[in-house]
């Protein structure tokens, strides 16, 4: 077999090893543990030295683990069912997203902590924090409301898009539970009410 110049024949194995370490970290995050590199290595059954080659610091590991949240269930909600209007599709997306955040609350709070820690680490070094979040929430909202957002003036669509981002995910759930002392059901109801009110206000202003 001829190997092209620059080709690494062990690339697939390296990717599997890296994925195993990240998956182990994600599972530990799901139990409320903030895993160190050695802890993730042990769970993935690889050596510490190997794990440190991929993730030289705990922050590097946690940021990558945080970026691989359990989002497949939310992605599946983006297909618009026949008869779905803007309100129905948005609320379907928001409900699914909040259900995921509640079911995976420990892991998602740990992910949020990893993002904040990365911000503080950059600040302490006098650097600008790098963009470590994928922006999936903004893409999901844009997909769910594509026809309606396209019909709005650009500035208004952008404002609605940003405002709706405040009604789904772990951050509003933290506010609902830690600040407002709401239980899961009340958090869902309040955030659904807020999303519906924002959407109605934007669509009514269009008319």
């Amino acid at each position: 077999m001829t190997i092209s110049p620059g080709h690494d024949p062990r690339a697939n194995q390296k990717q599997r090893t890296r994925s195993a370490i990240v998956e182990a970290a994600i599972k530990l995050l799901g139990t409320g543990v903030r895993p160190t590199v050695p802890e993730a290595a042990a769970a993935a059954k690889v050596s510490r030295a190997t794990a440190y080659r991929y993730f030289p610091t705990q922050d590097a590991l946690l940021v990558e683990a945080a970026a691989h949240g359990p989002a497949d269930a939310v992605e599946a909600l983006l297909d618009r069912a026949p008869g779905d209007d803007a309100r129905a599709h948005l609320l379907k997306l928001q409900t699914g997203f909040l259900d995921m955040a509640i079911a995976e609350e420990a892991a998602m709070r740990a992910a949020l902590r990893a993002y904040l820690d990365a911000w503080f680490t950059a600040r302490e070094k006098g650097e600008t924090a790098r963009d470590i979040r994928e922006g999936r929430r903004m893409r999901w909202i844009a997909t769910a409301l594509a026809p309606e957002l396209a019909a709005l003036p650009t500035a208004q669509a952008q404002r609605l898009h940003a405002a709706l981002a405040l009604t789904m995910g772990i951050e509003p759930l933290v506010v609902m539970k830690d600040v407002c002392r709401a239980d899961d059901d009340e958090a869902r109801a309040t955030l659904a009410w807020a999303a519906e009110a924002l959407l109605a206000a934007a669509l009514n202003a269009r008319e």
Side-chain angles (χ1 to χ4, degrees):
M1 180 179 67
T2 301
I3 298 176
S4 59
H7 174 73
D8 182 353
R10 297 183 61 245
N12 289 339
Q13 178 60 44
K14 290 178 179 178
Q15 184 56 50
R16 286 194 294 271
T17 301
R18 184 184 188 92
S19 296
I21 297 167
V22 173
E23 288 170 8
I26 291 170
K27 288 180 180 178
L28 289 169
L29 283 169
T31 67
V33 172
R34 189 168 181 266
T36 63
V37 176
E39 287 170 342
K45 295 182 172 54
V46 302
S47 71
R48 292 188 180 192
T50 297
Y52 274 118
R53 283 200 295 272
Y54 293 99
F55 302 102
T57 66
Q58 183 185 30
D59 282 345
L61 172 64
L62 292 176
V63 166
E64 180 148 344
H68 290 77
D72 289 348
V74 179
E75 293 281 354
L77 297 172
L78 296 179
D79 292 333
R80 189 184 292 260
D84 270 1
D85 58 14
R87 174 184 172 279
H89 203 199
L90 174 68
L91 293 181
K92 181 174 71 174
L93 170 65
Q94 189 208 42
T95 298
F97 197 172
L98 286 173
D99 284 347
M100 181 190 76
I102 290 168
E104 303 289 343
E105 185 173 349
M108 294 193 73
R109 282 181 180 259
L112 180 58
R113 179 177 178 178
Y115 296 138
L116 293 173
D117 284 346
W119 185 89
F120 278 110
T121 297
R123 182 182 177 89
E124 289 166 1
K125 294 178 179 179
E127 300 172 354
T128 299
R130 63 189 179 93
D131 187 3
I132 58 176
R133 303 189 71 166
E134 295 181 48
R136 291 176 296 191
R137 188 178 328 188
M138 301 297 275
R139 175 174 59 81
W140 290 337
I141 294 170
T143 300
L145 295 181
E148 289 73 18
L149 288 176
L152 293 173
T154 300
Q156 189 175 346
Q158 290 175 342
R159 180 169 292 180
L160 173 62
H161 197 168
L164 288 172
L166 299 173
T167 70
M168 56 187 79
I170 189 60
E171 298 89 348
L173 185 63
V174 169
V175 172
M176 288 289 101
K177 300 182 80 168
D178 295 2
V179 178
C180 303
R181 307 300 182 192
D183 61 19
D184 290 343
D185 289 339
E186 182 59 25
R188 285 189 183 93
T190 300
L191 293 171
W193 174 83
E196 191 170 0
L198 288 166
L199 179 61
L203 296 182
N204 289 340
R206 178 188 60 183
E207 297 172 354

